[in-house]
């Protein structure tokens, strides 16, 4: 039997909420699939569209951006900019023809280890039937 | 090429139980630029840190990555260790392979693979980190305290006695807060005014304290060490320096309104002194009650004021102050009357709240310390106290416990008995929470010495009949229905954040918790700090609390503020924005998005105020040309991190 497809995911987590939330998932010994490699950034507002394209280009099957809940950003309003920017990126990816499930944004606070766990589980589950992402992957 | 060292920690079996640390160290040693890679059981232990130190020196490492627990735990430990071996602190990065890897996975092969990717990502980052020194900023060595209740008073005095100038801003005409309204205080039954007024006088006489009453914060800008406050000083229409407290004005003032100090149990004139010991000791003209400032409308007070203290032309003033630290002590209010309709509050004059009962007990109160019913001035012989009125009721009211009501209700019942020896006090309660020094003994005393009857259960109905207030309830311990023909009912209503707390929090950019109280930075380890550095919390503004706790927190907050003010300069993380002027076209897009107003355009290029910049990176994600970047998390660094995270 062929091995099940394991999607590769990059997650941009803001340092103050989502990264702390994923730490809490660890401290609480929750379990989720190991498909995600986290990259901690200062704020979801610092995630440039270029990072997202670059991840897809380098072969990511899915990309997650996660920050503080709207109104709770450590830098007051970084995540509002993130939300707007990400809506645009989503449209653009749609236009290119990438499956919309491959790119997600979530709000996870430092207290929401459980929510983070669930988001990763669901994300991996949603990506599995899609198979590898080839639309944006560069062949080099 | 830069020489990188990698150190993989086992954390006992916390990491090694799921990640094959030997394999990880071996794989990482093959990564480009890694000249040293080893694993050890506890990297954070002294021998562990020594391994790092020795390797840095022997292998001439330019930078190191420690693959271990979350950077929130040991980043400082390892950065200090690297510093002592001669590296800049930014030449040390942490790869979190515990919280974000070993603790959340079970499959060893996959967890190991992921741990390697996470560590490689940190290697790619650290190899491109600049060596930076903290940015140093001067400190304005004065403090602002908002709220002049016992908490604000205590913080202000602690700061002033340490030698720092303090601006104490209180929105009402006098300081004192709720404590000045209380009669006697549990558990010692000290007279509240007697222990508070000396402190109030000390505030008014202190050369380091600038007291601003009838004043409110309008705007706060700046950052730790250097805040700018705009304070609105409202006109009181009475010149405090001229007022001799002769009281002639109130004798002629024709207007009577409800007296807030006695919570409506008495009236006051439009021109008034809040209470005899008010600080500042002066009268105030309540413009919302006065028919008009024109002599045509009334002007009687000005006519009789011998020293000519009344000034109808007084205007609101905006006063600007610069301070290095801010303490917020805006206190509490009781749960709104309207919410307590189920207990007949606001409907029957003899259903009171706890503060009104304090005024009845107070020697300086409306009845000169006699407990009399507001309706007919008769002495009540049966009094029912109801605890948790509005607290611990997530469906209808506040979900939390107001913490102090068990104690002050015991006090109320006890003091009532001291006044009315042949009376009977009943207390309806859910639980008795009497944690605190001498508190449990106090409650016992109420039961044993004063014969207070505690009834466990809830009140189902309150209504008036033939001059009595009928209280129906159940005693859940005895399993019996209870009916009491009471003469008076006292509700221990919930404590709420003070009115306007939300607006104040917005101006200060500090957070509120789910119940609207000010949020501390960490519920256990940083209980007096707000999330904004340089702003501290004291008293009931942060959560319901009694006087000793409010005072302790106020002193704690003052100590935290002193830790800032005692320094000539503060240090700020240097991982701030930097501009590549060759790429910047001066479009100004980044200027608009910066939450801290740290960017400005000069000669067609953007400039960063490094002191204001918090390094959030919003600007860098906005710039279409990557002309503005955050030091040590540049697009190039992130791009390389992405590459190795995907196995490239
Ligand atoms: C009925 C009752 C009985 C009590 N009995 C006892 C007792 O026996 N023993 C005991 O230890 N505790 C007792 N307490 C608790 C005690 O009252 C509080 O612990 C204490 O008052 C808290 O002090 P504070 O300074 O935090 O708040 P507050 O006393 O509420 O003072 C806050 C001050 O800040 C001002 N303010 C608010 N917002 C602003 C703003 N935006 N700008 C400027 N100023 C502002 C307010 O006008 C006020 O002067 C009792 C409480 C009640 C309700
Ligand atoms: S967005 Fe970029 S190009 Fe525009 S002003 Fe800012 S740094 Fe310069
Ligand atoms: S990093 Fe954030 S705070 Fe600093 S200049 Fe950019 S947007 Fe402003
Ligand atoms: S800091 Fe978490 S989204 Fe801005």
């Amino acid at each position: 039997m062929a091995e099940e497809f394991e999607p590769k995911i990059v997650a941009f987590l803001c340092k103050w909420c989502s990264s702390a939330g994923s730490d809490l998932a660890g401290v609480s010994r929750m379990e989720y699939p190991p498909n995600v490699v986290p990259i901690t950034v200062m704020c979801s507002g610092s995630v440039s569209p270029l990072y997202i394209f670059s991840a897809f280009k380098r072969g990511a099957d899915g990309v997650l951006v996660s920050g503080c809940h709207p109104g709770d950003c450590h830098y007051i309003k970084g995540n509002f900019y993130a939300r707007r920017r990400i809506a645009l990126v989503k449209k653009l990816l749609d236009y290119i023809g990438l499956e919309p499930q491959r790119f997600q944004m979530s709000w996870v606070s430092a207290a929401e280890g459980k929510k983070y766990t669930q988001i990763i589980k669901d994300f991996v589950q949603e990506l599995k039937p899609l198979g590898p992402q080839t639309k944006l992957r560069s062949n080099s | 090429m830069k020489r990188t060292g990698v150190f993989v920690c086992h954390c006992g079996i916390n990491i090694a139980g799921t990640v094959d640390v030997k394999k990880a160290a071996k794989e990482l040693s093959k990564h480009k630029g890694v000249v040293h890679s080893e694993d050890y059981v506890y990297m954070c232990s002294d021998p562990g840190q020594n391994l790092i130190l020795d390797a840095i020196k022997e292998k001439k490492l330019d930078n190191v990555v420690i693959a271990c627990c979350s950077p929130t735990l040991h980043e400082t430990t390892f950065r200090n260790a690297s510093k002592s071996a001669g590296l800049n602190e930014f030449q040390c990065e942490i790869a979190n392979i515990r919280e974000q890897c070993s603790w959340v996975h079970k499959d060893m092969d996959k967890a190991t693979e992921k741990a390697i990717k996470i560590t490689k990502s940190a290697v790619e980052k650290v190899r491109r980190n600049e060596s930076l020194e903290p940015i140093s900023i001067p400190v304005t060595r004065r403090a602002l305290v908002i709220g002049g209740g016992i908490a604000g008073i205590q913080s202000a005095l602690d700061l002033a006695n340490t030698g720092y100038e303090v601006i104490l801003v209180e929105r009402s005409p006098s300081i004192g807060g709720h404590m000045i309204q209380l009669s006697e205080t549990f558990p010692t039954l000290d007279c509240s005014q007697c222990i508070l007024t000396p402190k109030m006088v000390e505030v008014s006489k202190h050369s380091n304290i600038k007291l601003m009453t009838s004043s409110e914060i309008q705007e706060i800008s700046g950052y730790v060490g250097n805040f700018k406050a705009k304070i609105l000083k409202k006109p009181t229409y009475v010149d405090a320096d001229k007022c001799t407290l002769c009281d002639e004005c109130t004798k002629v003032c024709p207007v009577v309104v409800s007296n807030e100090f006695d919570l409506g149990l008495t009236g006051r004139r439009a021109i008034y002194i809040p209470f005899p010991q008010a600080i500042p000791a002066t009268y105030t003209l309540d413009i919302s009650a006065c028919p008009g400032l024109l002599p045509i409308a009334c002007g009687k007070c000005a006519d009789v004021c011998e020293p000519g203290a009344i000034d109808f032309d007084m205007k609101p003033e905006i006063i600007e102050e610069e301070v290095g630290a801010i303490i917020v002590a805006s206190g509490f209010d009781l749960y709104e009357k309207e919410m307590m309709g189920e207990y007949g509050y606001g409907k029957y004059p003899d259903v009171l709240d706890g503060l009104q009962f304090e005024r009845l007990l107070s020697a300086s109160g409306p009845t000169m310390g006699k407990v009399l019913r507001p309706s007919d001035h008769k002495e009540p012989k049966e009094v029912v106290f109801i605890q948790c009125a509005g607290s611990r009721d997530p469906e209808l009211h506040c979900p939390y416990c107001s913490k102090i009501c068990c104690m002050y209700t015991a006090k109320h019942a006890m003091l009532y008995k001291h006044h009315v020896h042949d009376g009977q006090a009943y207390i309806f309660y859910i639980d008795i929470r009497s944690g605190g020094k001498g508190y449990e003994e106090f409650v016992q005393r109420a039961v044993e010495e004063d014969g207070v009857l505690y009834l466990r259960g809830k009140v189902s109905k309150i209504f008036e009949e033939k001059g009595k207030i009928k209280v129906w309830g159940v005693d859940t311990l005895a399993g019996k229905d209870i009916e009491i023909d009471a003469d008076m009912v006292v509700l221990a209503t919930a404590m709420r954040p003070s009115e306007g707390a939300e607006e104040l929090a917005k101006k200060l950019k500090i957070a509120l918790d789910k119940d609207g109280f000010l949020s501390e930075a960490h519920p256990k380890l940083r209980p007096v700090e707000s999330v904004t550095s340089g702003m501290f919390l004291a008293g009931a503004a942060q959560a319901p609390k009694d006087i000793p706790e409010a005072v302790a927190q106020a002193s704690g907050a003052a100590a935290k503020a002193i830790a800032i003010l005692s320094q000539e300069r503060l240090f700020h993380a240097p991982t701030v924005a930097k501009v590549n002027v060759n790429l910047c076209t001066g479009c100004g897009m980044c200027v608009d998005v910066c939450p801290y107003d740290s960017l400005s355009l000069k000669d067609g290029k953007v400039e960063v105020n490094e002191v204001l910049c918090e390094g959030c990176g919003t600007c860098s994600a906005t710039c279409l040309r990557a002309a503005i970047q955050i030091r040590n998390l540049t697009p190039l660094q992130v791009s390389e991190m992405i590459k190795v995270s995907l196995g490239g």
Side-chain angles (χ1 to χ4, degrees), chain B residues 349-543:
Chain B
D350 298 328
V351 177
L352 305 177
D353 71 18
L355 277 175
Q356 288 176 315
F357 197 65
E358 291 283 341
R359 295 310 302 141
L360 284 188
L361 292 169
S362 169
S364 69
T367 50
M368 310 308 266
K370 289 206 185 80
V371 180
L372 300 176
R373 310 207 313 170
S375 61
D376 55 11
H377 292 265
K378 286 202 187 115
E379 199 173 62
K381 297 293 180 196
E382 308 256 307
V383 179
V384 173
F385 296 89
I386 302 174
Q387 292 192 179
C388 299
S391 300
R392 303 175 66 191
D393 189 346
E395 261 101 63
L396 295 175
H397 302 294
C398 311
Y400 53 87
C401 164
S402 292
K403 194 169 180 185
I404 58 162
C405 330
C406 286
M407 289 309 296
Y408 77 62
T409 303
K411 174 185 78 173
H412 284 170
M414 191 188 271
L415 291 176
Y416 163 68
K417 284 289 291 181
H418 294 180
H419 285 85
V420 185
H421 301 300
D422 60 343
Q424 181 59 53
Y426 305 88
I427 298 181
F428 278 94
Y429 72 103
I430 309 180
D431 302 290
I432 296 298
R433 298 183 168 173
S434 54
K437 206 164 160 173
Y439 285 15
E440 176 59 19
E441 294 88 325
F442 185 80
V443 174
Q444 287 307 324
R445 198 175 127 196
V447 176
E448 285 161 18
E449 289 179 21
D450 298 300
V452 173
L453 215 68
Y454 273 88
L455 300 165
R456 184 169 193 190
K458 277 216 129 178
V459 168
S460 54
K461 198 169 177 190
I462 290 188
F463 58 99
E464 211 172 33
E465 203 179 274
K466 296 188 194 123
K468 293 276 180 190
I469 304 168
K470 297 250 183 205
V471 181
W472 288 2
V474 264
D475 180 343
T476 52
L477 288 182
K480 278 197 312 198
D481 287 340
I482 295 189
E483 289 184 31
I484 301 171
D485 285 348
D487 298 310
M488 185 183 267
V489 172
V490 181
L491 306 176
T493 39
M495 266 168 123
R496 301 273 302 127
S498 67
E499 204 195 316
E502 193 180 343
E503 219 180 298
L504 181 66
K506 271 208 189 106
K507 287 180 188 160
L508 298 169
K509 301 190 187 81
I510 59 179
L512 299 174
D513 67 20
K514 68 179 197 344
D515 301 315
F517 290 99
L518 303 177
S519 247
E520 64 280 6
H522 188 283
K524 297 179 188 77
L525 303 178
R526 295 169 69 195
V528 305
E529 291 161 72
S530 78
V531 288
T532 307
S533 75
M535 294 195 192
F536 306 99
L537 314 175
Q542 181 251 341

Side-chain angles (χ1 to χ4, degrees), chain A residues 60-72:
Chain A
D61 300 305
V63 174
L64 173 73
V65 177
S66 188
C68 315
H69 285 263
D72 283 350

Side-chain angles (χ1 to χ4, degrees), chain A residues 34-113:
Chain A
N35 305 52
V36 177
V37 179
I39 294 181
T40 299
V41 291
M42 295 310 279
C43 173
S44 64
S46 75
V47 178
S48 151
L50 291 177
Y51 297 177
I52 298 155
F53 291 119
S54 151
F56 283 124
K57 183 165 161 264
R58 295 208 149 106
D61 300 305
V63 174
L64 173 73
V65 177
S66 188
C68 315
H69 285 263
D72 283 350
C73 172
H74 185 77
Y75 303 104
I76 311 160
K77 52 186 183 182
N79 56 5
F80 287 115
Y81 294 119
R83 186 161 61 176
R84 261 188 254 163
R85 202 173 288 135
I86 268 143
L88 281 178
V89 172
K90 251 190 164 340
K91 275 198 193 136
L92 193 60
L93 290 173
D94 236 21
Y95 180 75
I96 298 170
L98 193 80
E99 297 90 333
Q101 301 95 303
R102 292 199 187 269
F103 175 51
Q104 303 203 0
M105 163 129 220
S106 65
W107 316 113
V108 173
S109 81
E112 292 177 326

Side-chain angles (χ1 to χ4, degrees), chain A residues 22-23 31-32 36 58 85, chain B residues 70 96 100 105-106 622 639:
Chain A
S22 81
D23 275 358
E31 203 195 333
Y32 55 81
V36 177
R58 295 208 149 106
R85 202 173 288 135
Chain B
S70 166
N96 179 351
Q100 294 181 336
H105 306 312
K106 290 228 166 77
T622 307
S639 155

